[in-house]
Amino acid sequence: MQISNSQSLFEKAKNYIPGGVNSPVRAFRAVGGDPIFIKKASGALIYDEDDNAYIELINSWGPMILGHNHPMIREAVIKALENGTSFGAPTAREVEIAELITQMVPSVEKVRMVNSGTEATMSAIRVARGFTGRDKFIKMEGHYHGHGDSFLISAGSGAITMGNPDSPGVTKGTAKDTLLAPFNDLEAIEKLVDANRGEIAALILEPVPGNMGLVLPKGGYLEGLRKICDREGIVLIFDEVMTGFRLAKGGAQELFGVTPDMTTLGKIIGGGLPVGAYGGKKEIMQFVSPAGPVYQAGTLSGNPIAMAAGLTMLRYLDENPEVYTQLNEIGGKIANGIKTSVEKLGLNFTINHLGSMYSLFFTEQEVYDFESAKHSDTVLFGKYFQAMLKRGIYLAPSQFESLFLSTALTDELIKKILQANEESLKEIL
């Protein structure tokens, strides 16, 4: 495979951009080799600057449920562009999409648009603190909630990849208010609550973590968190930046039947454009300025282009629930096909799968939290990544990332993915 244009661009980028990339995991540090620079995408395919085509299983880290550059979304963006790109003032579409989100997501009675998932989680924690009058919050080890200072304490994804989960620049004063607990361990939560009674404003987690690879909540775990938070007056926040509108219309909270107090959402509500949102119970969201005292603002919040794309996407998902049946079928075919290949080759690797998300962990142990995920053979994963890449399959360049599937994956493309998977596993072993 010829990638000389990508290599040339990367060398040039390193002169002007830290590490040559604008988000760390893109640098391919965890998998070796040079990053691929993408020129265009359509459906289930992406194309690099050397005109190589790849079947892509990231989908912009989740939002491209219908595949890349969907004609419906593209048309909505073009039409919105005719009226301007940014107003810094209210628009009708903001009201329409807010109403639709409150109808689709069980926990959301009011919602505030922001510009990214990171901004959404930062704001949600601030509002929870303002609402409760408390300072501390609990997060789970290995869960990633963006790059806000409070969250870069045992963070997942890119922080693991760079081997630096506790980022320099995060002060001790900030870190002291972040309480850590292992995922899927209710006893650990009880101990934290006992030791910090009356001081904890919020508990935030990915209900289905995707930033240490895909990890599933154990039966009763989310329900247990809900009971603890109710008992202690703690605001329960589900970070559904990845799972919102993907696992179900109402996200993981609909799928598992557990309703948090607040929810954070990401780029899916912009059809892939830069956008995020946080919402929840009315009595909590009324604390947000100008209705209440907790300040949060943004010139590009509710950007008209992003709102046009997101409204089109969400309306389609709301009106066509069969999309989720299709996504689940595609996810099942790929996950089961990989499992068959792994068993055929006499391997015991772990495959975690839910709907249109999955991870192949290069470990024989069950993966149910951050510590068990770290048992994965990341060197072997890097070899697997490169073997798949040269066969035209573009995976997330880290063992610690979930893959995200789209409805654009046909049976023919799925067959190619599974063939490449088996060939790649044979090659690296």
Side-chain angles (χ1 to χ4, degrees), residues 31 70 85 87-88 121 170 176 186 268 295 309-310 320 397:
V31 293
H70 193 281
T85 59
F87 309 134
T121 54
V170 177
K176 72 178 176 61
L186 286 175
I268 177 63
Y295 191 77
N320 297 274

Side-chain angles (χ1 to χ4, degrees), residues 357-374:
M357 299 170 65
Y358 83 91
S359 287
L360 170 61
F361 291 95
F362 285 77
T363 175
E364 297 182 358
Q365 297 187 23
E366 177 189 3
V367 177
Y368 54 88
D369 65 3
F370 183 52
E371 286 301 315
S372 55
K374 289 195 295 184

Side-chain angles (χ1 to χ4, degrees), residues 12 75-76 103 106 146 159-162 169 176 190 204 209 216 249 273 282 285 298 314 327 350 359 379 404 411:
K12 183 177 181 180
E75 182 181 348
Q103 292 170 0
I160 299 173
T161 300
M162 300 301 289
K176 72 178 176 61
E190 291 283 16
I204 186 171
L216 307 181
K249 281 204 303 183
L273 274 69
K282 287 181 182 179
M285 293 303 293
L314 294 189
L327 284 169
T350 296
S359 287
V379 173
F404 301 92
D411 284 342

